[in-house]
Amino acid sequence: MINPSSESPDSGSSAAPPPTGYGVIQDYLKTLETSPGVYRMLDCESRVLYVGKARNLRARVSNYARPGHSPRIEKMISQTASMMFLTTRTETEALLLEQNLIKQLKPKYNVLLRDDKSFPNILVGKSHAFPQIKKHRGARKEKGSYFGPFASAGAVNRTLNQLQKAFLLRNCSDSMFETRTRPCLQYQIKRCSGPCVGLISREGYAESVHDAERFLSGRSTKIQEELGAQMMAASEAMEFERAAALRDRIKALTQVQSAQGINPRGVAEADVIGLHMDSGQACVQVFFIRANQNWGNQDFYPRVSEDMSAAEVMEAFIGQFYDNKDVPRQLILSDDIDNSDLMAEALSDKANRKVELLVPQRGEKAELVASAVRNARESLARKMAESATQAKLLRGLADAFGLEGPPGRIEVYDNSHIQGTNAVGAMIVAGPEGFMKNAYRKFNIKGEDLVPGDDFGMMKEVLNRRFSRLLKEDPDRDKGMWPDLLLIDGGAGQVSAVAEIMQEHGVQDVPMVGVAKGVDRDHGKEEFYRPGESAFALQRNDPVLYFIQRMRDEAHRFAIGTHRAKRAKSMAANPLDDIAGVGATRKKALLTHFGSAKAVSRANLSDLTAVEGISDALAETIYNYFQER
């Protein structure tokens, strides 16, 4: 059971700044319990500086009450104005709570895993008589067999591509399956066995599904032997076409295995985690081993400091990474952690089975770890080189536009529409580490009084909404949400529109630049506009110009993609979706009965009530809806 302790004592009047440092921490020791739990260190504005766990809260916090720490910890202590405590029943609970709070609060002085996403799986659906094989990401709510995780969507797609060749399983949706009257292209190119039109029996298809599941479970050699025997038998029976088809299936399975690279014999299910640290930066490389097969690798760059140890970084990474992910039976690590037994216990409780943490010194597992560390080292070297180049470009950008210093956050805006329809605005963000895709935003243009195609009006609406929200969510500009530079796709008109919005909000210290195509609307001839200044250009071979072009093109790509998604959604919209009382089941029943929404709109009341699940009252609602339109 987790019980909150009392808050910190009153720090004094608001006129004087509250005390900070060792004295504040020492005051808590007088009443602090010796139970396990989690502590939080807060600054003068109650922002969380650090989250830590302890087997004995009083003993752990007492360490902070006396000097002798690294510069990072000394600085953290000097900023600590108050503390908060949560007691737990066990140290394991404290560990899990600590990692959960770190992910939520993102404290300044903790190791922080910044790129924490879900990973795709392969799903063999079981809700249909002829199961579908497809990529799946997110919660496992659909009935079926899940295999993964894979490191990326690309790794899943490559595997699915070969599995379709090997086992001829369908990838079409259930609705498409039900409406087919002849085989589709997938059958023609020998990637499906045509179950939709009865070209394979239910039993034969089920056998193919079983073979695919066996392969994904690691029994690939056995399946290849069986297919090889069938190919020889077909050849001896002079069934050369069938023998050739079996040969192609064996070849597809071989290609899956070769694409997976490292396929360890002695490791059935594990994540191999390699860590490399250099100059206050870290890269963690994770290999996903499932069913004795390597299902890809992914690198991560947690936020660290130079004085952090490898053990500290590794422990924080494991705790945060598996907070919302399935845990394999083994974690094979490059560096041991201080609380390995505790972490293994916590992960075992989460997985409801035993989880081992290993730091191998020799053998196949050690070779896997060495490969992961090598990849981490190379990835970090590339990232550091890119960061150095990016820093140079940001300095050049500051010089070109007369900024006070290199911008830490650049926001680039663009609009997209077709003659004013499905209009959207887009914002992309760039900074010292390149494009910050988790900060991208899209805006559905809502202004009813806008003239279709009014780019100035659209840009004003987007910027108005953006800065209204900024002023509300980060009025003190201390959360890193404010831009240091705005790049607007357009010329003097767009810049004037944006300047007007900024002035209305009282924001006049954020530099803005309009980027226009210039003469002949050609790359390399861009002209730049600043409020109240004449247009100017950069030299055609200037690296800063290429950098600006890249940011503008990225904003254009994001805006176009957002517009196309909105347009596709509007084209696929069904009027039945707007009728109260018509959900997915009744919509399907109506479409199955009449064939289309247009046919439903022409139906009379008696025809509507003949549909299963449509009552007299609902039939009248549907009828009236279309009559009113």
Side-chain angles (χ1 to χ4, degrees):
M1 189 70 181
I2 299 174
N3 303 305
S5 73
S6 60
E7 298 291 332
S8 62
D10 189 3
S11 299
S13 66
S14 58
T20 59
Y22 292 106
V24 171
I25 297 173
Q26 288 168 356
D27 288 341
Y28 286 100
L29 295 176
K30 302 171 184 177
T31 57
L32 198 54
E33 301 178 16
T34 58
S35 60
V38 173
Y39 58 93
R40 279 178 271 183
M41 308 177 89
L42 295 85
D43 66 9
C44 298
E45 299 181 10
S46 297
R47 292 174 298 197
V48 179
L49 297 170
Y50 185 79
V51 175
K53 68 176 183 309
R55 181 182 302 170
N56 181 323
L57 278 172
R58 181 188 295 172
R60 184 72 184 92
V61 174
S62 67
N63 291 334
Y64 294 108
R66 51 182 181 267
H69 302 281
S70 67
R72 175 176 64 97
I73 301 301
E74 290 283 359
K75 185 176 180 181
M76 178 185 73
I77 292 172
S78 70
Q79 295 175 358
T80 300
S82 63
M83 296 185 71
M84 294 179 64
F85 305 93
L86 290 167
T87 58
T88 61
R89 292 180 303 178
T90 65
E91 193 180 0
T92 302
E93 282 186 2
L95 173 64
L96 294 173
L97 178 60
E98 174 201 32
Q99 299 302 334
N100 201 328
L101 288 173
I102 290 172
K103 290 186 68 174
Q104 289 181 24
L105 302 174
K106 298 178 172 55
K108 180 178 180 180
Y109 291 97
N110 282 98
V111 177
L112 184 63
L113 178 58
R114 292 175 290 188
D115 185 6
D116 185 23
K117 61 182 180 180
S118 63
F119 291 95
N121 293 267
I122 287 178
L123 168 62
V124 180
K126 295 297 178 65
S127 58
H128 194 278
F130 293 91
Q132 171 193 19
I133 186 168
K134 62 181 180 179
K135 177 174 63 180
H136 175 87
R137 192 192 292 269
R140 298 185 174 188
K141 296 180 179 180
E142 190 172 342
K143 184 180 178 182
S145 301
Y146 292 84
F147 301 92
F150 287 78
S152 65
V156 171
N157 292 335
R158 286 191 297 271
T159 302
L160 282 174
N161 183 40
Q162 299 301 328
L163 288 178
Q164 282 181 260
K165 294 179 182 179
F167 301 108
L168 309 181
L169 302 183
R170 72 179 182 96
N171 66 350
C172 59
S173 65
D174 290 349
S175 58
M176 181 179 290
F177 180 92
E178 300 297 343
T179 57
R180 294 299 304 182
T181 57
R182 59 180 181 178
C184 66
L185 180 63
Q186 293 294 311
Y187 174 80
Q188 304 296 337
I189 61 176
K190 299 181 180 180
R191 292 191 180 183
C192 180
S193 51
C196 55
V197 290
L199 297 179
I200 185 173
S201 67
R202 183 170 178 174
E203 292 75 17
Y205 191 85
E207 185 177 342
S208 296
V209 171
H210 180 62
D211 286 344
E213 291 178 322
R214 288 167 61 203
F215 178 82
L216 290 169
S217 299
R219 294 187 283 275
S220 56
T221 304
K222 183 68 174 175
I223 295 172
Q224 285 171 301
E225 291 176 355
E226 292 173 357
L227 290 175
Q230 294 176 28
M231 180 181 69
M232 294 301 296
S235 178
E236 291 174 0
M238 302 186 75
E239 297 176 1
F240 300 120
E241 187 173 345
R242 182 167 180 269
L246 289 166
R247 178 203 60 202
D248 293 341
R249 293 176 64 182
I250 295 170
K251 183 179 179 181
L253 291 180
T254 304
Q255 288 177 341
V256 172
Q257 293 168 320
S258 61
Q260 289 166 346
I262 303 169
N263 293 308
R265 296 181 180 179
V267 181
E269 180 184 328
D271 284 351
V272 182
I273 305 176
L275 167 66
H276 180 73
M277 301 178 65
D278 186 10
S279 304
Q281 298 189 53
C283 177
V284 179
Q285 188 82 204
V286 182
F287 287 0
F288 301 100
I289 308 295
R290 299 294 185 274
N292 296 98
Q293 302 170 21
N294 177 19
W295 284 352
N297 60 295
Q298 186 67 259
D299 49 10
F300 301 88
Y301 301 93
R303 186 188 70 194
V304 300
S305 299
E306 288 191 23
D307 62 342
M308 290 178 176
S309 67
E312 182 181 0
V313 175
M314 181 67 78
E315 180 176 325
F317 175 83
I318 293 171
Q320 294 175 47
F321 185 70
Y322 293 105
D323 178 60
N324 61 348
K325 296 180 180 66
D326 292 334
V327 189
R329 297 183 184 276
Q330 289 184 338
L331 301 184
I332 304 175
L333 313 178
S334 62
D335 298 271
D336 204 356
I337 62 177
D338 295 333
N339 302 286
S340 57
D341 292 342
L342 184 65
M343 182 65 76
E345 181 182 347
L347 295 176
S348 297
D349 288 345
K350 181 180 185 297
N352 292 319
R353 52 176 167 73
K354 185 179 179 181
V355 175
E356 291 184 291
L357 272 63
L358 306 175
V359 185
Q361 302 301 315
R362 62 182 64 85
E364 185 181 39
K365 293 184 176 67
E367 292 175 3
L368 289 172
V369 167
S371 180
V373 171
R374 183 179 67 254
N375 277 270
R377 181 173 60 252
E378 294 170 354
S379 296
L380 184 58
R382 286 193 296 270
K383 185 174 187 295
M384 292 173 71
E386 291 168 0
S387 297
T389 302
Q390 187 79 357
K392 184 176 180 181
L393 289 171
L394 292 174
R395 289 194 298 270
L397 193 67
D399 293 339
F401 294 151
L403 307 180
E404 294 181 358
R409 181 184 174 103
I410 305 168
E411 293 185 355
V412 190
Y413 293 86
D414 194 10
N415 298 324
S416 182
H417 59 90
I418 294 180
Q419 296 180 339
T421 62
N422 299 310
V424 296
M427 177 190 85
I428 67 111
V429 183
E433 297 184 359
F435 292 120
M436 302 158 59
K437 296 196 175 183
N438 59 340
Y440 287 15
R441 295 292 180 269
K442 52 190 176 184
F443 303 83
N444 285 314
I445 304 299
K446 300 176 181 178
E448 296 180 358
D449 56 343
L450 286 177
V451 176
D454 180 5
D455 287 329
F456 293 173
M458 292 179 190
M459 187 63 70
K460 288 176 69 174
E461 178 181 331
V462 169
L463 270 296
N464 184 45
R465 286 162 59 185
R466 170 63 179 157
F467 279 89
S468 296
R469 186 165 184 172
L470 267 182
L471 289 166
K472 181 180 178 181
E473 295 183 353
D474 190 12
D476 298 326
R477 305 194 186 188
D478 57 2
K479 298 180 181 178
M481 300 170 64
W482 280 76
D484 301 311
L485 174 66
L486 298 182
L487 288 182
I488 311 299
D489 185 47
Q494 276 87 348
V495 170
S496 297
V498 173
E500 183 181 330
I501 289 295
M502 305 285 274
Q503 191 169 6
E504 289 177 5
H505 288 289
V507 179
Q508 299 183 21
D509 58 345
V510 177
M512 67 187 76
V513 177
V515 185
K517 290 285 181 63
V519 181
D520 299 329
R521 298 183 63 81
D522 187 19
H523 264 53
K525 297 182 180 180
E526 283 81 0
E527 293 180 342
F528 302 98
Y529 296 81
R530 296 194 65 176
E533 298 181 8
S534 301
F536 63 97
L538 298 176
Q539 290 188 5
R540 192 163 186 137
N541 60 350
D542 191 334
V544 174
L545 178 59
Y546 297 142
F547 180 43
I548 295 169
Q549 290 171 349
R550 200 161 69 245
M551 289 190 288
R552 185 197 56 200
D553 292 346
E554 172 68 1
H556 191 59
R557 179 202 64 80
F558 185 58
I560 288 289
T562 304
H563 164 73
R564 286 174 177 168
K566 184 177 181 181
R567 187 179 65 188
K569 186 176 181 180
S570 67
M571 291 174 66
N574 193 306
L576 297 177
D577 296 329
D578 298 328
I579 303 176
V582 178
T585 302
R586 286 169 176 162
K587 175 183 172 183
K588 183 178 179 180
L590 286 165
L591 292 175
T592 301
H593 185 88
F594 291 103
S596 68
K598 189 172 184 179
V600 176
S601 70
R602 296 171 176 172
N604 57 39
L605 282 172
S606 59
D607 292 333
L608 291 170
T609 55
V611 179
E612 184 179 354
I614 305 298
S615 64
D616 292 344
L618 182 56
E620 189 171 348
T621 299
I622 297 170
Y623 181 79
N624 291 337
Y625 173 83
F626 286 110
Q627 291 303 309
E628 290 169 2
R629 293 184 66 185

